[in-house]
Amino acid sequence: MLLQRVITALVLAPLMLAGIFLLPDFWFRIFIGLIVLFGSWEWANISGFSQLSARFGVSLVTALVLVSLHCLLPATSHAWLALILVFLVWWVLAIVLVVAYPKGSGWLKSRGLRLVASLPVFCGFWMGLVWLKAQEQSVLLLTWLMLLVWGADIGAYFSGRAWGTRKLAPQVSPGKTWAGAYGGVSSAIVVSVLLVHFYLPAHSWKGWLWVVCLSVAVVAVSVVGDLFESLLKRNRGIKDSSSLLPGHGGVLDRIDSLCAATPMFVLLWYVLSVI
């Protein structure tokens, strides 16, 4: 299982980094949009729409939403940024749903509500990455975000296996532990400190403190993204969103944390850039 995870990661990580480094804005939007469409296909299934026609329909609607955003709003506009922050608010609600589960889970009986929940998830993810791509230091910012989430995932995996006894959210995901969460946060802080040290060295102690806060906040929200998807899968009675990626499950299993982390990273980078 671990070998499969490593091999798949060795394929996916360079592919994602190649998209960040090599693709111009328009093709980058399409590249991330295709990832979103794979994710929406899987989300339709965990929402209870197992028929191929229904899943195609969900992916088509998702594509139309992304195209509409692309055509109607410039990525550098205040409206684009404001929408990202609106979608970030969704994750505050997701925290409540995860912590309260199984209480207050009546909404899970509605396939429609489960499906609607995908809109802030995928739109915040796509719009956030597109916004970062439009920034002057886009390569650094996008790489930083990816390494934060990947580093936290790796740190959580190994620290959880080594020291994980106390469960983080046993009703939602029995495999997640507090030790894993602490390991993920620690790894993310190390990643951020190294990146900022080498590429953004002109910071006061307040700037460094903000970098640490950014890392902790992004990883904390990324954990919520992972747990929220786990909640939906548990309700659906499945372990993985699909079997597309050996050792990792489906595309949604790989981007759930990133979907939640991206709007938070956008917010905190924007604040950091203006203070």
Side-chain angles (χ1 to χ4, degrees):
M1 183 68 172
L2 178 58
L3 180 61
Q4 279 188 326
R5 288 176 65 91
V6 171
I7 293 173
T8 304
L10 289 175
V11 174
L12 295 179
L15 182 63
M16 190 67 184
L17 292 175
I20 290 171
F21 280 87
L22 302 178
L23 293 178
D25 177 74
F26 178 75
W27 291 106
F28 180 77
R29 293 183 184 211
I30 293 178
F31 174 59
I32 301 302
L34 290 174
I35 294 174
V36 167
L37 293 186
F38 276 113
S40 67
W41 171 272
E42 295 171 349
W43 191 291
N45 181 45
I46 65 175
S47 297
F49 296 89
S50 56
Q51 303 90 344
L52 290 180
S53 58
R55 297 173 73 179
F56 273 119
V58 170
S59 295
L60 177 60
V61 170
T62 303
L64 291 174
V65 170
L66 298 187
V67 170
S68 298
L69 291 168
H70 167 76
C71 294
L72 295 175
L73 292 175
T76 54
S77 68
H78 292 302
W80 188 284
L81 179 62
L83 267 178
I84 296 171
L85 302 184
V86 168
F87 293 137
L88 177 59
V89 173
W90 153 255
W91 291 108
V92 177
L93 174 59
I95 293 173
V96 175
L97 295 174
V98 167
V99 171
Y101 186 82
K103 294 180 180 179
S105 59
W107 69 277
L108 288 169
K109 297 177 182 178
S110 169
R111 294 194 304 172
L113 287 178
R114 282 179 279 165
L115 195 58
V116 167
S118 69
L119 286 177
V121 173
F122 290 132
C123 290
F125 169 63
W126 183 78
M127 293 183 73
L129 293 183
V130 169
W131 185 87
L132 291 170
K133 182 68 172 177
Q135 303 309 300
E136 183 177 351
Q137 297 172 297
S138 61
V139 170
L140 174 61
L141 294 177
L142 288 165
T143 304
W144 186 0
L145 172 59
M146 299 302 157
L147 292 180
L148 265 178
V149 175
W150 295 343
D153 186 48
I154 293 169
Y157 179 81
F158 286 104
S159 59
R161 285 176 63 91
W163 302 294
T165 53
R166 185 184 171 198
K167 302 300 182 182
L168 179 62
Q171 297 289 345
V172 175
S173 182
K176 299 287 189 302
T177 65
W178 281 100
Y182 297 145
V185 168
S186 300
S187 300
I189 291 174
V190 170
V191 166
S192 289
V193 168
L194 290 174
L195 277 175
V196 171
H197 173 72
F198 287 108
Y199 297 103
L200 295 169
H203 275 297
S204 64
W205 69 269
K206 290 182 180 179
W208 281 104
L209 178 61
W210 191 255
V211 166
V212 173
C213 292
L214 180 150
S215 305
V216 173
V218 168
V219 172
V221 174
S222 77
V223 172
V224 176
D226 192 346
L227 289 174
F228 185 72
E229 194 219 349
S230 295
L231 185 155
L232 293 175
K233 290 188 296 186
R234 177 167 290 273
N235 178 74
R236 184 77 166 89
I238 57 177
K239 182 179 183 295
D240 297 319
S241 59
S242 76
S243 56
L244 183 63
L245 305 175
H248 288 265
V251 170
L252 190 55
D253 295 318
R254 287 297 85 213
I255 67 169
D256 51 6
S257 299
L258 196 55
C259 285
T262 298
M264 177 61 79
F265 186 87
V266 167
L267 169 63
L268 295 181
W269 173 254
Y270 177 75
V271 174
L272 180 62
S273 65
V274 297
I275 62 174

